Amino acid sequence: MIKKALKYISLYFKFNLLYIKTQLMYPKDFIIWFIFGSFSTIINIFFMKVIYYNTPLLGNWDYYQTLMILGYSSTSIGLFNIFFINIFSLGSSYIIEGKLDKFLIRPINVLFQLLVERIDLDNISELIIGVFLIVYSALKIGYEINVFLILFSIVFIIFSVFTLLGLFLIFASTNFWLQEKINFIPILYSLFNFSRFPITIFNKKIKLILTFIMPYFYLGYYPVNFLLKIDTKYVYTIFYQPILCLIFLTIGGIVWKIGLSKYESTSI
Amino acid sequence: MIKLLKNKLEKYFSIIKINFSKVLVYKYSFLIEIISLLFQFTASVYIWKYILENSPQIKNYSVISLTSYLLFSTIIKAITQNTTSIDIEKDIRTGNIYNFLILPIDYIFLYLFRDIGSSLGRILLNSWLIGIYGLLFFNVNIYYGIVNYLLFFISIVFSILIYSEISILIGLISFWTVSQNGLRYANSVISAFFSGSLIPLDFYPDLLKKISLFLPYRSIIYVPITILQTNTIYSNLFQLLIQFLWVSVLFFINNKLKIKAFNSLEIVGG
C-alpha cells in the first residue's frame, strides 16, 4: 500500500516536470499568461468596487467582508484550476476523440493520469491573489490572523476543491454515454459567479440548490460567514461540507467507473 | 463593373452562408453557451435587484429597465461571440495561412464575413431562447419604439463587426508571439468589464467611465442598448457614428498589421 502510494507520488512529480517542460517551450507566452491569468480576479475586485460604489451594504455585508468571500472563492477556484483543470477536456476531447486510449494501456490509474497530464501553473496568479485578498480583508476587518484561521482555511478550502472535483467528474463523465460533442463544464464554470456574493440576496430556491445540489456557496460564503458570524442563520451550515464532499466524491467516482467501463474507443 | 462587383459579393455571401449553416450543425455546444450565459444573467439580476430595491432609482434605472438591460446584454453577448482569434492563431501556428494567400479573398474580409454569418446563425438559434427565458422568469420591458429597434439593429451589426475586428487584431498579434492564450483571455475579461455587459456603464465610478470612453468595448454592448432604451434621436445617431468610426479605425489598424505580417511571413514546412 505504502509502496504504491510512494510510486504514485514520484510519478506525480515526474508528470509535473514533463508538463512544465512543455509549457516552457513558449516562455514568452507563459509569462504573458501568468500576468493575464490574474485578470479575471482583478476584474472581479473592480466589479465589487462598482457594486459598493452604488450601495454601502449588500445584504448586511460591507465591502471588505464581501472581498473576503471573493478571496476564499478565488483561492478554491485557483487551486482547482491548477490541479484538476484537465477535467475540462475529458468529455470534449479525451472521450469523443478517443484520446483516453493511451491512458488505458498503461498500468497506472486512469483518472490519476488524466488529472496529472495538465497541471496548470499559469493559474497560480489567481491563487496568489485569492490568498492575498483573504489576508488583506481580514486585516481590514480587524480579524486576528491566528493558527485557527489558517488551519480552518486550509481544511475547508481543500474540502471545497474536492467537492468541485466530484461535481465536475459527474458532469464530465456523462460524455461516456452521450456520443454528441457536448461539454457541460462551461456551465459549471459559469456558476462560479454565484459563489462570490453573500447569499442573502438570492431567493430561497437558489439558496437550496446551490447549497445542497450544486454546493457552490461553500466556496466563499459559508466559511466566511462562519468566521465573521454575520448571518446568524447560516453560521453552522459549513459543517455540511465534509459530508457533501464525501457524497460528491463517491458519486463522481462511481459514475466515472461505470462510464469508463462503457468507454468505446473512437480512434483508429 | 457591376458584374465584377456581383462576383465579389457572391464570394463573400457564400462565406456567410457556410458559417451560418456551421452554427446549426454545432447546435448543442451553442445551447451550453446559452445556459452558462443565463446563469451569469441570473446572478447579476439578483445582485442589482437587491441594490436597487434598497436604494431605488439610482442613475435613472428602475429594476425593470435594469433587468431588461441585462437581458439585452446577454443576448448581444450570445450573438457576438466568436472563435476568430483562436482560428487565426491556428492558421499561423500550423502554417495553414498560405491557403488564404493564394485565394482571391482578402484575409480580413474573410473573417469579418465569417463572423457575420455565424452571428446570423446565433440570432436565429439562441437569441430568442434567452429572450423567452427573461420574459418567463423576470419582469422585463421589451416594448420600445420602432425607430429605436431599427437603430438598435444597425447598431448590433456594428457591434458584431467591432468585436470581430478586435478578435482579428488579437489573432494577428500572434504573428509575433506564436501562441496567444494569455492575450485572448485578457481581452475577453477586459471586454466583459468595459463593454458594460455586467451592468450599464452609468453605474461605474467616474474614472472607469472615462477610461471606457477611449476603448472600443463600450460600443459592443452598452451603446446598442442605450440606443434602444433612450429616445433622443440625435444622441442615438451620434452613438452610431462613433461605432462606425471604431469599425473604420480597427479595420485600418488590422489592414496595416496584416500587410506588415504578410511581408514578414515565414512558414516552416507546409
Side-chain angles (χ1 to χ4, degrees), chain B:
Chain B
M1 183 67 191
I2 294 168
K3 208 179 168 192
L4 202 77
L5 198 71
K6 202 187 150 208
N7 260 336
K8 234 181 183 159
L9 283 180
E10 230 163 49
K11 216 159 49 184
Y12 292 115
F13 188 69
S14 50
I15 297 173
I16 292 181
K17 227 162 66 184
I18 292 167
N19 286 287
F20 178 78
S21 21
K22 240 188 200 167
V23 171
L24 301 183
V25 173
Y26 295 115
K27 49 182 176 289
Y28 289 114
S29 62
F30 288 110
L31 209 65
I32 298 288
E33 216 175 271
I34 297 175
I35 296 172
S36 10
L37 282 174
L38 287 183
F39 279 131
Q40 281 175 35
F41 167 69
T42 314
S44 44
V45 165
Y46 273 101
I47 294 160
W48 291 100
K49 214 165 116 187
Y50 184 89
I51 294 171
L52 284 174
E53 272 167 2
N54 287 290
S55 51
Q57 284 291 345
I58 28 173
K59 323 269 178 203
N60 293 327
Y61 279 92
S62 61
V63 176
I64 293 178
S65 65
L66 192 71
T67 315
S68 333
Y69 178 98
L70 291 172
L71 183 69
F72 279 109
S73 119
T74 313
I75 290 175
I76 298 177
K77 234 188 297 178
I79 292 173
T80 51
Q81 272 178 10
N82 62 42
T83 55
T84 298
S85 46
I86 303 175
D87 296 337
I88 293 182
E89 188 219 347
K90 216 179 190 177
D91 284 348
I92 295 166
R93 191 161 32 87
T94 57
N96 221 351
I97 199 165
Y98 81 92
N99 270 328
F100 302 107
L101 291 177
I102 51 175
L103 287 177
I105 298 176
D106 185 79
Y107 191 64
I108 290 172
F109 272 121
L110 169 80
Y111 274 101
L112 276 182
F113 280 98
R114 233 187 60 150
D115 288 340
I116 291 174
S118 59
S119 294
L120 280 179
R122 282 153 197 254
I123 289 173
L124 198 80
L125 199 75
N126 58 22
S127 59
W128 57 275
L129 275 173
I130 299 171
I132 285 177
Y133 174 83
L135 284 173
L136 280 182
F137 296 103
F138 297 96
N139 201 353
V140 294
N141 176 21
I142 54 164
Y143 303 105
Y144 300 102
I146 294 173
V147 182
N148 290 51
Y149 266 111
L150 204 71
L151 294 180
F152 176 65
F153 284 122
I154 299 170
S155 169
I156 279 189
V157 174
F158 283 142
S159 71
I160 292 168
L161 287 176
I162 291 174
Y163 195 67
S164 168
E165 280 177 334
I166 293 171
S167 310
I168 293 172
L169 183 67
I170 304 275
L172 286 177
I173 287 173
S174 52
F175 263 106
W176 294 278
T177 58
V178 180
S179 142
Q180 32 83 299
N181 282 328
L183 214 56
R184 192 171 64 232
Y185 184 70
N187 174 51
S188 73
V189 173
I190 293 173
S191 94
F193 189 72
F194 281 111
S195 63
S197 71
L198 306 163
I199 41 155
L201 295 173
D202 307 316
F203 285 82
Y204 285 17
D206 286 333
L207 179 67
L208 291 176
K209 230 190 295 182
K210 265 188 199 128
I211 295 174
S212 82
L213 279 176
F214 295 100
L215 293 171
Y217 298 111
R218 74 185 257 129
S219 291
I220 300 169
I221 288 172
Y222 176 72
V223 168
I225 304 177
T226 28
I227 285 177
L228 187 66
Q229 290 192 330
T230 55
N231 280 323
T232 43
I233 189 118
Y234 287 111
S235 86
N236 285 352
L237 287 175
F238 180 68
Q239 299 281 15
L240 275 182
L241 187 74
I242 291 179
Q243 276 191 312
F244 179 72
L245 274 181
W246 272 117
V247 173
S248 335
V249 167
L250 285 168
F251 184 75
F252 179 76
I253 296 173
N254 276 340
N255 237 343
K256 276 266 175 293
L257 262 186
K258 183 198 80 178
I259 291 166
K260 209 170 170 204
F262 281 7
N263 281 338
S264 61
L265 180 62
E266 270 177 45
I267 295 172
V268 185

Side-chain angles (χ1 to χ4, degrees), chain A residues 16 65 86 110 119 126 151 185 190-191 196 233 252 258-259:
Chain A
N16 261 342
Q65 291 160 345
N86 216 19
V110 180
I119 287 110
E126 194 174 7
L151 275 180
I185 307 296
S190 75
L191 279 171
R196 302 181 180 120
K233 204 175 154 192
I258 300 172

Side-chain angles (χ1 to χ4, degrees), chain A:
Chain A
M1 185 70 189
I2 296 170
K3 217 175 168 185
K4 204 175 172 188
L6 279 176
K7 182 185 143 198
Y8 272 90
I9 290 169
S10 83
L11 269 174
Y12 186 80
F13 284 109
K14 272 176 193 157
F15 272 111
N16 261 342
L17 201 68
L18 200 69
Y19 187 72
I20 290 168
K21 275 182 185 163
T22 59
Q23 284 278 294
L24 289 177
M25 195 160 73
Y26 303 117
K28 246 194 272 174
D29 206 54
F30 179 76
I31 294 164
I32 291 175
W33 187 230
F34 183 80
I35 297 166
F36 289 143
S38 61
F39 262 54
S40 73
T41 322
I42 291 172
I43 287 289
N44 278 323
I45 299 171
F46 269 112
F47 189 51
M48 277 316 166
K49 270 231 148 75
V50 172
I51 288 174
Y52 281 95
Y53 176 75
N54 290 293
T55 181
L57 283 178
L58 192 63
N60 298 331
W61 291 67
D62 70 18
Y63 175 63
Y64 291 108
Q65 291 160 345
T66 315
L67 215 55
M68 199 164 175
I69 299 182
L70 179 64
Y72 270 92
S73 98
S74 301
T75 312
S76 309
I77 296 166
L79 270 176
F80 179 79
N81 278 342
I82 291 172
F83 292 108
F84 303 135
I85 201 166
N86 216 19
I87 291 190
F88 190 92
S89 25
L90 172 66
S92 57
S93 107
Y94 284 95
I95 295 173
I96 299 296
E97 290 169 18
K99 276 193 202 163
L100 215 60
D101 292 11
K102 75 172 173 199
F103 295 154
L104 286 167
I105 53 171
R106 291 180 195 154
I108 315 171
N109 186 305
V110 180
L111 185 59
F112 174 80
Q113 290 183 66
L114 176 78
L115 294 179
V116 295
E117 192 166 68
R118 183 156 171 225
I119 287 110
D120 213 351
L121 284 179
D122 313 341
N123 272 306
I124 239 171
S125 46
E126 194 174 7
L127 177 67
I128 293 169
I129 293 177
V131 173
F132 169 78
L133 278 181
I134 296 174
V135 175
Y136 173 74
S137 54
L139 286 176
K140 280 279 178 185
I141 295 164
Y143 193 92
E144 198 193 335
I145 297 174
N146 49 21
V147 183
F148 169 73
L149 176 72
I150 296 169
L151 275 180
F152 172 84
S153 307
I154 291 174
V155 169
F156 279 93
I157 284 171
I158 287 175
F159 275 132
S160 301
V161 172
F162 277 97
T163 317
L164 283 181
L165 175 66
L167 185 71
F168 275 59
L169 208 52
I170 295 170
F171 278 89
S173 300
T174 49
N175 273 86
F176 283 117
W177 287 276
L178 300 168
Q179 290 301 320
E180 291 276 353
K181 198 167 180 165
I182 310 176
N183 193 354
F184 288 109
I185 307 296
I187 295 181
L188 295 181
Y189 265 90
S190 75
L191 279 171
F192 282 141
N193 283 309
F194 286 91
S195 72
R196 302 181 180 120
F197 301 99
I199 68 165
T200 30
I201 59 172
F202 299 114
N203 69 13
K204 213 169 188 176
K205 257 185 228 153
I206 296 182
K207 270 184 212 161
L208 270 177
I209 290 172
L210 292 181
T211 302
F212 293 111
I213 300 170
M214 303 283 224
Y216 277 80
F217 285 151
Y218 294 96
L219 297 182
Y221 175 79
Y222 286 130
V224 178
N225 194 39
F226 177 77
L227 293 172
L228 303 179
K229 304 203 170 34
I230 290 172
D231 299 320
T232 41
K233 204 175 154 192
Y234 302 114
V235 170
Y236 297 107
T237 321
I238 178 81
F239 293 110
Y240 285 119
Q241 198 186 12
I243 308 165
L244 283 173
C245 178
L246 205 69
I247 293 172
F248 273 96
L249 271 184
T250 319
I251 298 176
I254 290 171
V255 175
W256 159 264
K257 264 252 154 77
I258 300 172
L260 195 62
S261 67
K262 289 256 184 338
Y263 173 71
E264 283 170 9
S265 172
T266 49
S267 62
I268 310 155

